[in-house]
């Protein structure tokens, strides 16, 4: 009876337009809603790695199931949904036979969210977003998911390593929240025989109204959510087969707005069956659109009106370091800088081997030579340390011949115009005169070491302002420590 059921089930699914879907990469996750079961496939591991291996080993059930090492991305499929109403949402993943009557797949899953409209798979791959529901246990039934196993009535429980429970708890969602679902086939199969499954949404909100529980307008954005990619990444395949038209496609017209300024720059034909696919290669950023002419004529056209914005980023490039204030100014008496990057990605910054921060402004930076590292938070690269100079004076020096801070000078003085430094003791006696060629004051006067104390200096130089050299003067003090 089970064999007959599966044969009839698959025949009905394909004949009624509930076609098999697969996208093995998070960035091209297929938008879905709850109004019909979804026929999915797993076959292959995608074009890019959706997980940082070092992070995934520490992320709970994804690498710590009932077996020593789970196959995270051997055969995967990604989906994304947006909650339409608040309430309880779950799902069943039912393994189906790839061919004949034998089921060879064993499905696992992970759920990520909730995200807002700026959801990014980069948060998942970087480990900034960890799964809120998942199961990588050994299955004893053909079902796994969230909620209640329809085969044996097993109630979902919180994920616990090696509890052998194939179901996790329902989600409690709020309207507008976005969730990603990773479906993974633990049993490796790269034999060109894709293994199918059935994804069906459940839960009290779905039972109340399956047409509104998940926002089906997201499925109308069938090209998926906007994609952030890195220059040099593998090609991105956009598919119109994920549209509500299903396989009812006569032709597809593709177009692109490269500047995302509301002006379509080019139109072109797609590839594959009915021209239903278009391949985007790095670094062709832009907003891509698809308009489908259906074969049945009902509806006559299906369009992803908003399109999908694909943005390629490269390794960050430092434009310059803006000196906001230096301690050569009276107020504030500190060196403040801003890191300016040539690019519009999402960056974080670290100076002098310190911790990364999102703010490009650093305060009280040491005078002299410093270094900055810039990291693209979208995972598109990190710079080597880049040196930059902050002209300023050290607040103290220690002339004890240990090779560290043995002399005092304006750091970066050689970059200034006509600089002169006059050093005085507290009684106003001139002890030293420094210029751009001086190595610095060694803490002596007429060959005699001066005692630990505060010493004053007057610093004079010229600065180009609006094409005119303007005289600048700074008078303050520093400490000699022995």
């Amino acid at each position: 009876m089970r064999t007959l059921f599966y044969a009839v089930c698959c025949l009905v699914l394909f004949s009624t337009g509930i076609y098999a879907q697969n996208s093995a990469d998070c960035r091209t996750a297929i938008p879905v809603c709850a109004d019909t079961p979804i026929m999915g496939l797993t076959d292959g591991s995608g074009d890019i790695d959706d997980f940082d291996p070092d992070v995934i080993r520490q992320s709970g059930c994804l690498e710590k199931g009932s077996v020593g090492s789970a196959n995270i991305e051997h055969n995967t499929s990604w989906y994304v949904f947006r909650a339409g109403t608040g309430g309880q949402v779950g799902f069943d993943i039912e393994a189906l036979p790839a061919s004949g009557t034998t089921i060879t797949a064993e499905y696992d899953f992970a759920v990520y969210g909730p995200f807002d409209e700026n959801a990014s798979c980069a948060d998942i791959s970087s480990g900034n977003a960890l799964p809120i529901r998942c199961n990588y246990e050994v299955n004893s039934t053909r079902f796994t998911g969230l909620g209640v196993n329809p085969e044996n009535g097993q109630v979902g429980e919180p994920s616990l390593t090696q509890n052998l429970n194939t179901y996790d708890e329902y989600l409690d969602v709020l309207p507008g929240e976005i969730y990603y679902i990773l479906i993974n086939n633990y049993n490796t199969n790269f034999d060109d025989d894709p293994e199918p499954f059935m994804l069906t949404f459940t839960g009290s909100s779905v039972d109340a109204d399956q047409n509104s529980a998940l926002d089906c307008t997201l499925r109308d954005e069938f090209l998926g959510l906007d994609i952030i990619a890195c220059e040099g990444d593998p090609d991105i395949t956009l598919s119109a087969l994920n549209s509500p038209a299903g396989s009812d496609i006569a032709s597809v017209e593709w177009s692109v707005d490269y500047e995302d300024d509301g002006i379509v720059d080019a139109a072109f034909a797609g590839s594959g069956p009915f021209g239903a696919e278009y391949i985007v290669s790095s670094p062709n950023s832009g907003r891509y659109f698809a308009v489908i002419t259906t074969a049945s004529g009902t509806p006559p056209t299906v369009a992803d009106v908003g399109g999908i914005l694909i943005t390629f980023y490269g390794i960050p490039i430092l434009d310059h370091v803006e000196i906001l204030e230096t301690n050569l100014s009276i107020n504030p008496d500190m060196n403040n800088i801003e890191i300016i990057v040539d690019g519009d990605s999402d960056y974080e910054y670290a100076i002098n081997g310190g911790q990364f921060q999102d703010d490009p402004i650093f305060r009280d930076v040491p005078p002299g030579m410093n270094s900055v590292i810039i990291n693209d938070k979208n995972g598109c690269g990190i710079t080597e340390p880049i040196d930059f100079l902050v002209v300023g004076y050290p607040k103290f020096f220690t002339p004890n011949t240990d090779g560290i801070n043995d002399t005092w000078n304006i750091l970066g003085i050689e970059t200034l115009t006509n600089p002169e430094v006059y050093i005085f003791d507290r009684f106003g006696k001139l002890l030293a005169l420094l210029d751009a060629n001086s190595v610095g004051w060694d803490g002596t006067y007429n060959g005699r070491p001066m005692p630990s104390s505060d010493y004053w200096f007057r610093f004079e130089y010229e600065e180009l302002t609006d094409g005119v050299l303007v005289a600048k003067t700074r008078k303050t003090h520093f400490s000699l420590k022995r």
Side-chain angles (χ1 to χ4, degrees), residues 117-414:
E117 289 296 333
N118 297 316
S120 171
C121 289
D123 291 329
I124 296 174
S125 62
S126 66
N128 290 328
L130 296 179
I132 58 172
R133 301 284 191 277
C134 56
N135 193 292
Y136 265 68
E137 299 294 336
V138 172
N139 295 348
S140 59
T141 78
R142 69 181 188 270
F143 285 91
T144 188
L146 302 182
V148 179
N149 189 326
E151 186 175 58
N152 57 23
Q154 184 183 47
V155 178
E157 298 177 3
S159 177
L160 181 64
T161 301
Q162 298 187 0
N163 67 358
L164 301 182
N165 189 347
T166 58
Y167 268 70
D168 208 335
E169 297 176 298
Y170 283 110
L171 292 172
D172 290 316
V173 305
L174 295 175
E177 292 179 337
I178 292 174
Y179 294 84
Y180 284 90
I181 303 174
L182 163 68
I183 298 176
N184 182 84
N185 177 15
Y186 173 75
N187 290 331
T188 304
N189 177 9
F190 294 121
D191 58 3
D192 295 323
D193 189 9
E195 295 184 289
F197 60 85
M198 185 75 73
L199 174 63
T200 305
F201 285 94
T202 63
S204 59
S205 63
V206 176
D207 293 340
D209 189 345
Q210 67 174 3
N211 293 311
S212 63
L214 304 188
D215 184 359
C216 288
T217 63
L218 182 64
R219 188 177 57 189
D220 296 334
E221 302 170 31
F222 52 84
L223 296 180
L225 300 180
D226 293 345
I227 295 174
I228 292 176
C230 301
E231 292 181 4
D233 272 358
D235 295 342
I236 298 171
T237 300
L238 302 179
S239 177
L241 291 172
N242 299 326
S243 76
S247 57
D248 182 25
I249 298 176
S251 63
V252 179
E253 178 183 325
W254 295 89
S255 60
V256 62
D257 173 2
Y258 287 119
E259 302 299 326
D260 193 26
D261 58 3
I263 301 174
V264 173
D265 298 299
F268 29 69
S271 61
F274 320 109
E277 294 181 343
Y278 185 74
I279 297 174
V280 180
S281 300
S282 168
N284 294 309
S285 298
R287 186 173 294 277
Y288 291 81
F289 303 88
V291 177
I292 300 169
T293 299
T294 59
S296 65
T298 308
T301 59
V302 178
D304 187 330
V305 177
I308 180 173
L309 179 63
I310 300 178
T311 308
F312 290 95
Y313 293 113
I315 294 177
I317 298 174
L318 175 66
D319 187 301
H320 67 282
V321 176
E322 185 78 22
I323 307 298
L324 303 178
E325 295 97 8
T326 78
N327 61 9
L328 299 179
S329 302
I330 296 176
N331 186 23
D333 185 12
M334 64 174 60
N335 304 310
N336 301 326
I337 66 164
E338 182 175 5
I339 309 299
I340 308 297
V341 179
D342 182 9
D344 56 358
S345 187
D346 191 10
Y347 305 109
E348 59 183 1
Y349 316 84
I351 65 169
N352 302 329
Q355 297 295 315
F356 280 101
Q357 66 179 49
D358 293 338
D359 190 350
I361 295 177
F362 290 82
R363 303 188 182 279
D364 210 9
V365 177
M369 195 61 69
N370 295 266
S371 67
V372 60
I373 296 175
I374 308 168
N375 180 51
D376 182 348
K377 295 175 68 175
N378 289 308
C380 292
I382 185 169
T383 67
E384 295 292 330
I386 304 169
D387 291 337
F388 65 93
L389 177 66
V390 174
V391 179
Y393 72 94
K395 299 296 181 72
F396 69 91
F397 78 121
T398 56
N400 54 11
T401 68
D402 66 353
I404 302 173
N405 297 327
D406 282 336
T407 61
W408 184 94
N409 203 350
I410 302 296
L411 301 179
I413 189 173
E414 68 280 359

Side-chain angles (χ1 to χ4, degrees), residues 17-62:
I18 304 176
Y19 53 97
Q21 296 179 314
N22 172 251
S23 180
D25 291 322
C26 177
R27 65 185 185 181
T28 50
I30 299 170
V32 293
C33 61
D35 57 351
T36 59
I38 295 142
M39 184 71 171
L41 294 173
T42 55
D43 183 38
S45 57
D47 295 321
I48 60 173
D49 292 328
D50 283 311
F51 302 107
D52 181 328
D54 293 331
V55 172
I56 221 61
R57 294 190 186 98
Q58 305 172 23
S59 56
C61 68
L62 280 186

